[in-house]
């Protein structure tokens, strides 16, 4: 028969076990509460961060492009001796309506006229206007004909590394095409409308996104799965000249790539005129470089001009 002392020890032990069990259960409850509160706070932080990133706490999204503000970023001339210092554009808030005419005169035929799209690429237009005012492009060459079906111009050094001593951001890069994952990419791209139709003028950054003076004029339709060239305008006349340049025989450049025109393509002058329609609030030009210029509203214009049967001659 157990003594009273043994019974007391057993009772004390059972009481201690119950206390320890209660403490363990309480600790588990606290941990669950802390975990729930932590998870809730994390979700709130994530939701708040996402809303902040999407601009939920701002009246209007303020990106440089949306606000129409141009940022001119200095480039390191010590790291790249091919850069030419012609100062920076004075404006950071250029016109963002209408178009701006650009005329490229080469040694290969009639001048090439371009409409720079102020609505889609105002900073690019301000950049080209600044460089043209400094005669930056005069007596430079279009140093490459690329396998994309474009002529590459705007580098005084002819190396592909030249430009001004500043850069600006990409404004109007086409959206990547949505392709069927099960389809062959080459065939799918062939069936996709061209992202860069013939006549498109696009800026070229070296590296991408740091645009300067280099630009491409496409003489063939071009589509890519990963577009990177910002579209800045379109050719309105002189496509015969662009196509003739694109058909020139090629030779190796200094790097050994067969991309250089056998005959030098010299830009004798590149000029940029005053903005057209920049003060109007009506319709802005299409960002699609394949669309033609607006038709004349003159009721007396009943016949196409003899030299403008393609709908582009005489535009600037």
């Amino acid at each position: 028969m157990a003594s009273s002392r043994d019974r007391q020890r057993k009772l004390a032990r059972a009481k201690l076990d119950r206390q320890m069990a209660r403490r363990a259960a309480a600790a588990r409850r606290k941990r669950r509460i802390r975990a729930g509160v932590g998870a809730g706070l994390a979700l709130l932080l994530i939701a708040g961060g996402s809303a902040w990133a999407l601009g939920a706490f701002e009246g209007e999204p303020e990106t440089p492009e949306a606000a129409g503000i141009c940022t001119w970023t200095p480039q390191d001339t010590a790291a790249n001796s091919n850069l030419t210092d012609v100062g920076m554009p004075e404006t950071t808030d250029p016109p963002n309506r209408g178009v701006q005419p650009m005329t490229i005169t080469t040694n290969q035929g009639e001048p090439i006229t371009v409409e720079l799209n102020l609505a889609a690429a105002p900073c690019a237009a301000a950049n080209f206007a600044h460089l043209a005012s400094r005669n930056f492009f005069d007596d430079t060459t279009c140093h490459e004909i690329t396998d994309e079906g474009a002529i590459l111009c705007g580098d005084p050094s002819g190396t592909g590394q030249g430009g001004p001593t500043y850069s600006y951001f990409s404004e109007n890069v086409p959206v990547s095409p949505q392709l069927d994952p099960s389809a062959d990419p080459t065939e799918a791209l062939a069936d996709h409308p061209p992202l860069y139709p013939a006549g498109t003028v696009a800026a070229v950054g070296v590296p991408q996104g740091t645009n300067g003076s280099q630009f491409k004029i496409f003489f063939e339709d071009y589509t890519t799965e990963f577009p990177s060239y910002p579209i800045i305008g379109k050719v309105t006349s002189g496509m015969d000249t662009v196509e003739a340049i694109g058909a020139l025989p090629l030779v190796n450049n200094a790097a050994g790539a067969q991309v250089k025109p056998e005959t030098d393509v010299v830009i004798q002058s590149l000029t940029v005129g005053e903005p057209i329609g920049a003060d109007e609030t009506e319709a802005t030009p299409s960002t699609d470089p394949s669309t033609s210029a607006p038709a004349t509203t003159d009721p007396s214009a009943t016949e196409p001009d003899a030299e403008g049967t393609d709908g582009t001659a005489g535009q600037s």
Side-chain angles (χ1 to χ4, degrees):
M1 184 175 179
S3 66
S4 60
R5 184 175 296 178
D6 291 337
R7 286 195 301 272
Q8 289 175 355
R9 282 200 296 267
K10 288 180 180 179
L11 292 172
R13 179 65 184 179
K15 182 179 180 180
L16 178 61
D17 289 342
R18 289 193 299 272
Q19 290 175 342
M20 295 299 293
R22 285 196 296 270
R23 290 174 183 173
R28 287 194 296 269
R29 283 196 299 273
K30 288 180 181 179
R31 285 196 295 271
R32 285 196 296 269
I33 292 170
R34 290 195 195 102
V37 170
L41 288 174
L43 289 172
L44 286 174
L45 289 172
I46 291 171
S50 299
W52 176 83
L54 293 172
F57 304 121
E58 300 176 5
E60 294 291 339
E62 288 295 333
T63 64
E65 184 177 353
I69 301 300
C70 303
T71 301
W72 313 110
T73 305
Q75 297 297 296
D76 186 2
T77 54
N80 186 355
S81 61
N82 296 303
L83 302 179
T84 303
D85 187 0
V86 289
M88 290 189 184
E90 295 180 359
T91 181
T92 58
D93 188 14
N96 58 9
R97 293 188 180 94
V99 298
Q100 193 160 9
M102 182 169 75
T103 302
I104 308 167
T105 303
T106 74
N107 64 338
Q108 295 298 314
E110 68 176 271
I112 303 164
T113 61
V114 173
E115 280 185 351
L116 298 175
N117 192 330
L118 297 178
C123 296
N127 168 68
F128 277 83
H130 169 74
L131 294 176
S133 72
R134 301 298 193 273
N135 302 317
F136 184 92
F137 299 99
D138 296 1
D139 299 319
T140 64
T141 61
C142 294
H143 57 283
E144 284 189 16
I145 299 175
T146 74
D147 57 7
E148 302 156 331
I151 61 177
L152 176 59
C153 314
D155 176 5
S157 72
T159 63
Q161 301 298 316
T165 54
Y166 64 87
S167 66
Y168 64 97
F169 59 88
S170 296
E171 296 171 286
N172 187 32
V173 178
V175 177
S176 297
Q178 299 297 312
L179 305 179
D180 184 349
S182 63
D184 178 84
T186 302
E187 294 180 0
L189 286 174
D191 294 334
H192 194 279
L195 296 179
Y196 299 92
T200 297
V201 181
V204 177
V206 183
Q208 292 178 3
T210 55
N211 306 291
S213 60
Q214 296 189 50
F215 62 96
K216 288 184 175 182
I217 306 177
F218 288 83
F219 54 86
E220 294 177 353
D221 292 347
Y222 175 62
T223 296
T224 175
E225 192 172 357
F226 305 106
S228 61
Y229 306 126
I231 296 175
I232 63 175
K234 63 180 180 181
V235 173
T236 54
S237 69
M239 272 304 293
D240 288 347
T241 301
V242 177
E243 292 168 353
I245 294 172
L248 291 173
L250 302 178
V251 296
N252 290 347
N253 62 10
Q258 194 174 14
V259 294
K260 180 181 177 181
E262 185 177 45
T263 303
D264 284 344
V265 178
V266 180
I267 294 179
Q268 297 168 332
S269 68
L270 186 152
T271 59
V272 176
E274 293 298 317
I276 300 172
D279 296 329
E280 298 176 0
T281 58
E282 289 84 12
T284 56
S286 168
T287 58
D288 181 359
S290 65
T291 58
S292 60
T296 178
T297 56
D298 182 359
S300 65
T302 57
E303 296 182 2
D305 184 76
E307 295 179 357
T309 54
D310 62 352
T312 57
Q315 299 175 13
S316 61

